[in-house]
């Protein structure tokens, strides 16, 4: 059969095949496979996409944002007071909070001020103070005390308290 006698669909298929097949060689597939594997490793184990919702960290971090969590933040060092961390509560529920109390410390809120072991703390990142009070609470070993920066919210609306160190998955990569 000559080229002119072929049906139109066969002619189109030949044009497509002749255009793509020489370009699709084993190196292309190897590079594609390596790229896919690296992307899976990066987004599964190093960078976790997180949606930020809620106003508890405003004005430091605005709500309704999107960020990546860098899981390597605490591979070689422990979380410190003042660190902004991402905490995983359930399967896909993440909270962005600030660490204010370390294991073994006593955390207390009096007249809107944070007291650690009875000493008032200077928190320049807190823009909106409130008048909440909270009785002293000792942070257990293996836990960190977290709270948001927007202290003008009523204390009942805050996701605050001691969280297990295992639940802290890393720091935001703003």
């Amino acid at each position: 059969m000559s080229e002119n006698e072929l049906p139109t669909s066969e002619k189109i298929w030949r044009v497509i095949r002749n255009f793509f097949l020489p370009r699709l060689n084993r190196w292309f597939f190897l590079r594609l496979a390596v790229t896919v594997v690296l992307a899976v490793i990066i987004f599964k184990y190093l960078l976790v996409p997180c949606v930020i919702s809620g106003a508890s960290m405003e004005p430091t971090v605005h709500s309704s944002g999107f960020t990546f969590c860098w899981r390597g933040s605490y591979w070689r060092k422990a979380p410190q007071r003042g660190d902004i961390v991402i905490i995983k509560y359930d399967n896909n529920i993440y909270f962005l909070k600030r660490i204010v109390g370390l294991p073994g410390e006593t955390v207390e809120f009096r007249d809107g001020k944070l007291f650690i072991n009875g000493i008032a703390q200077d928190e320049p990142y807190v823009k909106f103070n409130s008048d909440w009070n909270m009785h002293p609470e000792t942070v257990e070993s293996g836990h960190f005390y977290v709270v948001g920066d927007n202290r003008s919210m009523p204390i009942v609306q805050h996701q605050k308290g001691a969280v297990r160190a295992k639940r802290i998955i890393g720091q935001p990569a703003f």
Side-chain angles (χ1 to χ4, degrees):
M1 231 180 190
S2 72
E3 185 72 32
N4 293 336
E5 296 173 359
L6 289 174
T8 307
S9 61
E10 183 67 28
K11 289 178 186 175
I12 293 172
W13 169 244
R14 279 191 176 183
V15 169
I16 291 171
R17 188 182 63 209
N18 290 338
F19 180 77
F20 284 108
L21 285 181
R23 289 165 177 78
L24 300 178
N25 56 31
R26 64 182 178 175
W27 295 113
F28 170 79
F29 288 112
L30 180 63
R31 281 183 255 149
L32 179 65
V34 167
T35 304
V36 168
V37 167
L38 285 175
V40 167
I41 289 171
I42 288 170
F43 288 108
K44 175 81 174 157
Y45 299 107
L46 299 177
L47 289 174
V48 178
C50 298
V51 175
I52 301 168
S53 62
S56 71
M57 284 298 289
E58 289 184 355
T60 307
V61 179
H62 295 286
S63 63
S64 302
F66 178 82
T67 188
F68 286 98
C69 173
W70 172 244
R71 285 187 172 238
S73 304
Y74 298 117
W75 287 348
R76 293 183 181 219
K77 66 174 184 142
Q80 301 297 314
R81 182 180 298 109
D83 286 356
I84 296 175
V85 295
I86 295 179
I87 302 160
K88 185 175 184 176
Y89 277 99
D90 282 329
N91 289 338
N92 290 322
I93 298 175
Y94 299 95
F95 288 103
L96 192 66
K97 299 292 174 189
R98 187 177 299 272
I99 294 176
V100 295
L102 303 175
E105 295 181 334
T106 302
V107 177
E108 177 184 8
F109 285 98
R110 216 178 321 136
D111 300 322
K113 294 276 300 168
L114 170 67
F115 290 83
I116 303 291
N117 297 329
I119 301 168
Q121 300 296 306
D122 178 36
E123 298 179 296
Y125 42 81
V126 175
K127 303 292 185 222
F128 308 118
N129 284 324
S130 74
D131 58 350
W132 357 308
N133 292 312
M134 185 190 85
H135 295 293
E137 187 175 322
T138 302
V139 183
E140 297 177 36
S141 177
H143 289 71
F144 293 90
Y145 200 90
V146 297
V147 69
D149 287 355
N150 186 354
R151 308 281 169 81
S152 65
M153 294 174 54
I155 197 166
V156 294
Q157 290 182 347
H158 265 277
Q159 292 287 336
K160 58 139 185 80
V163 296
R164 288 192 334 229
K166 289 170 140 180
R167 292 210 182 261
I168 297 174
I169 62 169
Q171 290 183 305
F174 306 118

